[in-house]
Amino acid sequence: MAKRNNDNQTIQDVLKEFVDNNNLQSGLDKVNVREAWANLMGNGVNNYTTAIELKHNILYVQLSSSVLREELSYGNEKIIKMLNEAIGKDVVRKLVLR
């Protein structure tokens, strides 16, 4: 059972402590990466994106268009940088386009 604190805390601190105590950060990172991909890439790329998965700091993106996959592979480092900036921390270290 969780300990009870008598001092006043902000909701942000309480939620951060809850996430840390229950090891939920990796799951939140996965959700944040999916949202960042959808926001940064726009409708054109999202229509061809079939799956997004984050495993061990490697982002696997499955695309249904081989032409789009080739085009995105040229800007691999830029995409990683943009995703990490959108999330606010260094979560994605490698991008694999399938």
Side-chain angles (χ1 to χ4, degrees), residues 17-60:
E17 184 179 333
F18 179 79
V19 168
D20 291 340
N21 288 342
N22 294 308
N23 297 325
L24 300 175
Q25 191 58 50
S26 64
L28 289 174
D29 288 342
K30 291 177 183 181
V31 172
N32 290 338
V33 167
R34 285 185 186 142
E35 288 178 5
W37 178 268
N39 291 336
L40 290 174
M41 293 298 138
N43 286 336
V45 176
N46 286 330
N47 289 338
Y48 294 103
T49 303
T50 57
I52 301 170
E53 188 172 3
L54 180 68
K55 285 185 181 178
H56 308 292
N57 295 334
I58 301 173
L59 181 63
Y60 298 96

Side-chain angles (χ1 to χ4, degrees), residues 21-98:
N21 288 342
N22 294 308
N23 297 325
L24 300 175
Q25 191 58 50
S26 64
L28 289 174
D29 288 342
K30 291 177 183 181
V31 172
N32 290 338
V33 167
R34 285 185 186 142
E35 288 178 5
W37 178 268
N39 291 336
L40 290 174
M41 293 298 138
N43 286 336
V45 176
N46 286 330
N47 289 338
Y48 294 103
T49 303
T50 57
I52 301 170
E53 188 172 3
L54 180 68
K55 285 185 181 178
H56 308 292
N57 295 334
I58 301 173
L59 181 63
Y60 298 96
V61 179
Q62 189 168 352
L63 300 167
S64 60
S65 169
S66 61
V67 176
L68 179 62
R69 181 173 44 246
E70 189 66 26
E71 285 289 324
L72 290 178
S73 69
Y74 293 130
N76 213 344
E77 293 298 320
K78 185 177 179 183
I79 293 171
I80 292 171
K81 183 179 175 185
M82 287 175 20
L83 286 171
N84 285 331
E85 286 177 0
I87 295 169
K89 60 182 178 177
D90 190 26
V91 174
V92 180
R93 296 207 178 119
K94 185 177 178 184
L95 176 64
V96 176
L97 301 170
R98 300 183 194 173

